[in-house]
Every structure is written in C-alpha cells, then in structure tokens.
Amino acid sequence: MKLQRKNGLRATALGALAVTGALVLTACGSDDNTSGNGTGAGKATTASNISCEGAKGKLLASGSSAQKNAMDLWVKNYMAACSGVEINYKSSSSGEGIVAFNQGTVGFAGSDSALKPEEVAESKKICKNGQGINLPMVGGPIAIGYNLSGVDDLTLDAPTIAKIFNNKITKWNDPAIAKLNEGKSLPDKAIQAFHRSEDSGTTQNLGKYLGATAKADWPYEAEKKWPAPGGQAASGSSGVAAQVKQVDGAIGYFELSYATSQSIPTVSIDTGAAAPVKATSENASKAIAAAKVKGTGKDLALELDYATKAEGAYPIVLVTYEVVCDSGNKSDTLSTVKSFLTYTASEEGQKVLSDAGYAPIPAEINAKVRETVAGLN
C-alpha cells in the first residue's frame, strides 16, 4: 500500500450494512495483475444483480495492493457476469496508482490515502472541467504480524510498537514488551523489523496511528515514505509478509488478509480499553463505523479516529479508495468504470469481502458512494 498515499481489509457488519461472504486482504505491494478475457459485447445481466449495461472492452486500473484481494474477487465476479469486458488491476502501491491516474493511463486508481491538495490540482489536467475525487470502497485492519518461536499470543501498545519500528527496542525480552505480556516466556532474541520499501498508503496509515497515540516515540509526519531509521525494507505488503513468515524474530505490518492467508500470528493492541483488541474484521469495523466524511462536494474522503479506546475497536485501520474524475472521465472507459464501481459499491459487492479480513464501508457512507458513481460523467 507509499504510506502517504496508500497501499490495501475484511468485516462482518458496519452501520446498517450486514456483511457476509469471503475475501482475503493482501496489502499494498504485489505486482500481480488481475485480468480476464471474454467475447461478445457487454450487456445487462440479472443472474447476479450485476448490471453490465454499456460496459465494453478493456479497463485498466492500478494502485493500492491493500485492496488487491478484494479486486481479485470483484474482477472475477464481474467478468463472469459481463462477457466481453476485461478489467485489469495492477497491484503496485497507492503512490504509483495516483501517478498513473494523473498521467491519464488508467480509468481509476486504488489508494489507501485520500488525494493530497497538490494531487487534486494535478488531476485537473486529466479530468476536463473536473477533478479527482476519493470514493471509499473497503476498509480493514492493518495487522502487526510477527514470527517468534514459542510465542503465539502477543500484546503490544502504541508506544512499544513505535519504539520497535523506530529502532529503540531491539530485543524481544525488552522490559516494555515483558510488562505487556506477563507470564509469557519471551526469548533474548533480536527483533527484525520490516517495513515497506516503496511509498505506501499502508505505511502512511500506520504513521497516522502512531502519530495520534505515541507522538513522543514516533516524531514523524504520516507520510507514504518510511521515515524511521534502521529496520529492513521489502516490496509491497506481500513482500513484508513473506519476510515475516520466513524470519524468526521478525515483525512487520500489512493488511490482515496477508496474515490470514499465510497463517502469520498478529499482535493484539492494548488501547487502554478493558482488554487488548485483536486484529479482526469485526473489530476493525467498530473503529471504521465512527468515520466521518471530511471531503467536500463529491469527494468522500474519510476521517478515522486512530486513538479510539472503544471496547473491541481495533485502532490500526485503513480505508482504501477508488480515485476517479468527478467530471471529464474518458468517454471510452466511462461506462465500464461506472458499471464496475457500481458493483463494487453494491451490497453484493461489499458482502464478498467479509471472510478475507476486509471491513465494508458503513451503509450511510456507501449510499453516497453509489450516488456519486451514478453521477460520474
């Protein structure tokens, strides 16, 4: 997922939206492409409530790897319903997706962070008589995954996480970690901390959490580029997860789906609530449900409460956006963009995400997303 921009989620229920289904969240940082082939013209279908009317040809998109697993499911279902339409989503990073969008090479971009003012200004060159806007499509927890022989249950708090990734805590039996895990045998082993090598929205969202809850130990701005000294870098959430999986003593951050798919244990977070909170879709949903729309006009960028102490609310969350032009979209792909995003924002599209670690967007906000998609031109 650079962190400033990024790059990538599961849940059970958000607001009035009930969630069911399946999906695995992989984070920002895989180069896999999702594509498909078909024959014939796109046409309306009622078999799965996916409307293909007007959709045709090939649609290119790229960006956040945090939403790659969601995209894989969405694209598979959509292309099964819409013969002759090909959706190709390149999972790279939020930063790369925004660059591609503002260069006009993709129909939409995936990003784990809302557009910055300068990126909005740049988008006006591509969006004739309009600008780029953020459409929240799916959320989920950023898991802190670890690999420590003999330890399958670990609790950390924000200051301790900040010190680990800031190279201030370097041993697993450090007193700060031991205090949060009384009665557990922690080895005298070096901590191998992994972070994203490229600009990532996942990095930026982790930075927002640490900045809001452990400012004294994390004196960095929340940017997509990894800011702290030390540690080891890996490409994409998939790369970070692979290193954590392989290296005893490792710790890293990535979307929950990566942990789920590779059976990587995850840290429970001591938020100050009555009990430490596990990284689950349901717990992430409790945090995302309190999100507020901070965007103006058709822009639906959200503001999250990373410092929440609500019972059972997992605080390290991200929301991934699809970035489109509110006006001035390319005429040859507009109908396909609207058709595809109408499906992903539909109740059916949101439901397929729940078992893979994603958290659907709250129903009230999602209704605004659908309304905005319908009005794209």
Short mmCIF file of all heavy atoms in Angstrom, two decimals, residues 56 58-60 106-108 329-339:
data_model
loop_
_atom_site.label_atom_id
_atom_site.label_comp_id
_atom_site.label_asym_id
_atom_site.label_seq_id
_atom_site.Cartn_x
_atom_site.Cartn_y
_atom_site.Cartn_z
N LYS A 56 -17.82 -2.32 -21.84
CA LYS A 56 -17.24 -2.94 -23.02
C LYS A 56 -15.71 -2.84 -22.96
O LYS A 56 -15.15 -2.01 -22.24
CB LYS A 56 -17.74 -2.24 -24.28
CG LYS A 56 -17.40 -0.75 -24.32
CD LYS A 56 -17.98 -0.07 -25.55
CE LYS A 56 -17.65 1.42 -25.54
NZ LYS A 56 -18.20 2.13 -26.72
N LYS A 58 -11.64 -3.17 -22.60
CA LYS A 58 -10.68 -3.35 -21.50
C LYS A 58 -10.59 -2.09 -20.66
O LYS A 58 -10.54 -0.98 -21.17
CB LYS A 58 -9.30 -3.69 -22.06
CG LYS A 58 -8.22 -3.84 -20.98
CD LYS A 58 -6.84 -4.06 -21.58
CE LYS A 58 -6.73 -5.39 -22.25
NZ LYS A 58 -5.32 -5.68 -22.69
N LEU A 59 -10.59 -2.29 -19.35
CA LEU A 59 -10.44 -1.19 -18.40
C LEU A 59 -9.17 -1.42 -17.59
O LEU A 59 -9.04 -2.45 -16.92
CB LEU A 59 -11.65 -1.10 -17.47
CG LEU A 59 -11.54 -0.10 -16.30
CD1 LEU A 59 -11.39 1.32 -16.82
CD2 LEU A 59 -12.77 -0.22 -15.39
N LEU A 60 -8.24 -0.47 -17.64
CA LEU A 60 -7.00 -0.56 -16.88
C LEU A 60 -7.13 0.26 -15.60
O LEU A 60 -7.67 1.37 -15.60
CB LEU A 60 -5.82 -0.03 -17.71
CG LEU A 60 -5.52 -0.73 -19.03
CD1 LEU A 60 -4.33 -0.05 -19.72
CD2 LEU A 60 -5.23 -2.21 -18.80
N VAL A 106 -4.82 5.22 -16.64
CA VAL A 106 -5.75 4.25 -16.05
C VAL A 106 -7.12 4.89 -15.90
O VAL A 106 -7.25 6.12 -15.81
CB VAL A 106 -5.26 3.75 -14.67
CG1 VAL A 106 -3.97 2.95 -14.81
CG2 VAL A 106 -5.08 4.91 -13.69
N GLY A 107 -8.16 4.04 -15.89
CA GLY A 107 -9.52 4.54 -15.73
C GLY A 107 -9.82 4.97 -14.30
O GLY A 107 -10.61 5.89 -14.07
N PHE A 108 -9.20 4.30 -13.34
CA PHE A 108 -9.30 4.70 -11.94
C PHE A 108 -8.07 4.17 -11.21
O PHE A 108 -7.37 3.28 -11.70
CB PHE A 108 -10.59 4.22 -11.27
CG PHE A 108 -10.68 2.72 -11.07
CD1 PHE A 108 -10.18 2.12 -9.92
CD2 PHE A 108 -11.28 1.91 -12.02
CE1 PHE A 108 -10.27 0.74 -9.73
CE2 PHE A 108 -11.38 0.54 -11.85
CZ PHE A 108 -10.87 -0.06 -10.69
N ASN A 329 -14.21 12.17 -17.19
CA ASN A 329 -13.67 10.84 -17.38
C ASN A 329 -13.60 10.51 -18.87
O ASN A 329 -14.37 11.03 -19.67
CB ASN A 329 -14.55 9.80 -16.67
CG ASN A 329 -14.48 9.89 -15.16
OD1 ASN A 329 -13.57 9.37 -14.54
ND2 ASN A 329 -15.45 10.58 -14.57
N LYS A 330 -12.69 9.63 -19.25
CA LYS A 330 -12.53 9.26 -20.65
C LYS A 330 -13.80 8.59 -21.17
O LYS A 330 -14.32 7.68 -20.53
CB LYS A 330 -11.34 8.33 -20.82
CG LYS A 330 -10.00 8.99 -20.53
CD LYS A 330 -8.85 8.03 -20.77
CE LYS A 330 -7.51 8.70 -20.51
NZ LYS A 330 -6.38 7.75 -20.73
N SER A 331 -14.25 9.03 -22.31
CA SER A 331 -15.52 8.53 -22.85
C SER A 331 -15.47 7.05 -23.19
O SER A 331 -16.49 6.34 -23.08
CB SER A 331 -15.91 9.33 -24.11
OG SER A 331 -14.89 9.21 -25.11
N ASP A 332 -14.28 6.54 -23.57
CA ASP A 332 -14.21 5.14 -23.98
C ASP A 332 -14.23 4.17 -22.81
O ASP A 332 -14.48 2.98 -23.00
CB ASP A 332 -12.97 4.90 -24.84
CG ASP A 332 -11.68 5.26 -24.13
OD1 ASP A 332 -11.73 6.05 -23.16
OD2 ASP A 332 -10.61 4.76 -24.53
N THR A 333 -13.98 4.67 -21.59
CA THR A 333 -14.00 3.78 -20.43
C THR A 333 -15.02 4.18 -19.37
O THR A 333 -15.23 3.45 -18.41
CB THR A 333 -12.60 3.73 -19.76
OG1 THR A 333 -12.22 5.06 -19.37
CG2 THR A 333 -11.57 3.14 -20.70
N LEU A 334 -15.66 5.32 -19.54
CA LEU A 334 -16.58 5.82 -18.51
C LEU A 334 -17.67 4.82 -18.16
O LEU A 334 -17.92 4.55 -16.97
CB LEU A 334 -17.20 7.14 -18.96
CG LEU A 334 -18.30 7.71 -18.04
CD1 LEU A 334 -17.76 7.98 -16.65
CD2 LEU A 334 -18.89 8.99 -18.67
N SER A 335 -18.33 4.25 -19.15
CA SER A 335 -19.43 3.33 -18.88
C SER A 335 -18.95 2.10 -18.11
O SER A 335 -19.64 1.61 -17.20
CB SER A 335 -20.09 2.89 -20.19
OG SER A 335 -20.74 3.98 -20.81
N THR A 336 -17.75 1.62 -18.45
CA THR A 336 -17.23 0.45 -17.77
C THR A 336 -16.83 0.79 -16.34
O THR A 336 -17.06 0.00 -15.41
CB THR A 336 -16.02 -0.13 -18.53
OG1 THR A 336 -16.39 -0.35 -19.88
CG2 THR A 336 -15.56 -1.44 -17.91
N VAL A 337 -16.22 1.96 -16.14
CA VAL A 337 -15.87 2.40 -14.79
C VAL A 337 -17.12 2.48 -13.92
O VAL A 337 -17.15 1.98 -12.79
CB VAL A 337 -15.16 3.78 -14.82
CG1 VAL A 337 -15.08 4.37 -13.41
CG2 VAL A 337 -13.77 3.64 -15.41
N LYS A 338 -18.17 3.08 -14.45
CA LYS A 338 -19.40 3.23 -13.67
C LYS A 338 -20.04 1.88 -13.38
O LYS A 338 -20.50 1.61 -12.27
CB LYS A 338 -20.39 4.14 -14.42
CG LYS A 338 -19.92 5.59 -14.50
CD LYS A 338 -20.89 6.46 -15.30
CE LYS A 338 -22.21 6.65 -14.57
NZ LYS A 338 -23.07 7.65 -15.25
N SER A 339 -20.05 1.00 -14.37
CA SER A 339 -20.65 -0.32 -14.18
C SER A 339 -19.89 -1.12 -13.13
O SER A 339 -20.48 -1.70 -12.22
CB SER A 339 -20.65 -1.08 -15.51
OG SER A 339 -21.06 -2.42 -15.34
#
